[in-house]
Amino acid sequence: MTATPATVIQIAESVVAEINAGDFSKTSLSAQRLYVPNFDLEDMKELRVTVVPREVEYLPLDRASNKFHATIDIAVQKKFSKGDAKEIDPLVLFVEELADYFRLKRLNSFVAARCVKVENAVLYSTEHWTQFNQFTSLLTLTFELAK
């Protein structure tokens, strides 16, 4: 008998499934769940979408249950050659499409969880831009459910 994964892992896996099944402008992608996205620069020539479970918060709901908040990061990364608008604008659009898709969404394979907050605090990492010629954007989703 296999144990059911932690709730935050189930949510992260559901996010991966939704991205991979979604109809986005970037069609040739394969999101994956990792704890630490650590890629060689050579691997970054292709678009990388990584889902990382980051944080869990338990808030009292009533005597018997909690309000559960799971924070999930989605990293969108790709090495660029020039870094001009023609190359970067489609990546920024893709991140926006992901944000729009998940806003207030209930996950198809985990309907108890609903996305209550979407944040794109790192539109692009200037450190990755200057050091690696790499676009890295971080989208943070917060899912809520009673547990």
Side-chain angles (χ1 to χ4, degrees):
M1 181 173 140
T2 58
T4 303
T7 303
V8 70
I9 301 305
Q10 293 178 62
I11 292 170
E13 287 291 347
S14 295
V15 168
V16 168
E18 301 254 347
I19 293 170
N20 288 338
D23 184 22
F24 302 107
S25 61
K26 295 292 182 190
T27 54
S28 61
L29 66 97
S30 179
Q32 60 181 332
R33 179 179 67 86
L34 297 172
Y35 285 103
V36 180
N38 187 12
F39 302 108
D40 291 331
L41 211 47
E42 193 65 28
D43 296 334
M44 301 312 290
K45 290 179 180 175
E46 300 297 319
L47 177 66
R48 295 275 180 185
V49 179
T50 310
V51 176
V52 179
R54 187 180 61 161
E55 185 176 88
V56 177
E57 183 179 26
Y58 298 90
L59 303 165
L61 187 61
D62 57 34
R63 288 183 182 189
S65 59
N66 290 309
K67 188 185 297 184
F68 181 91
H69 284 175
T71 304
I72 307 292
D73 285 336
I74 302 173
V76 174
Q77 300 175 289
K78 187 172 190 317
K79 185 166 175 50
F80 57 78
S81 54
K82 295 180 183 175
D84 58 10
K86 182 180 177 185
E87 201 173 11
I88 302 303
D89 288 356
L91 296 171
V92 174
L93 174 63
F94 173 61
V95 173
E96 184 176 292
E97 288 173 344
L98 289 172
D100 289 343
Y101 178 83
F102 283 105
R103 190 179 66 80
L104 298 177
K105 173 143 182 72
R106 286 202 181 273
L107 295 167
N108 294 328
S109 60
F110 200 86
V111 293
R114 182 171 69 100
C115 186
V116 295
K117 183 178 178 185
V118 178
E119 185 179 13
N120 190 200
V122 180
L123 183 60
Y124 61 92
S125 166
T126 54
E127 182 179 321
H128 286 193
W129 189 286
T130 55
Q131 287 183 4
F132 309 123
N133 284 354
Q134 177 179 299
F135 173 84
T136 298
S137 187
L138 187 64
L139 191 64
T140 302
L141 311 175
T142 302
F143 289 89
E144 181 179 271
L145 66 135
K147 182 174 170 161

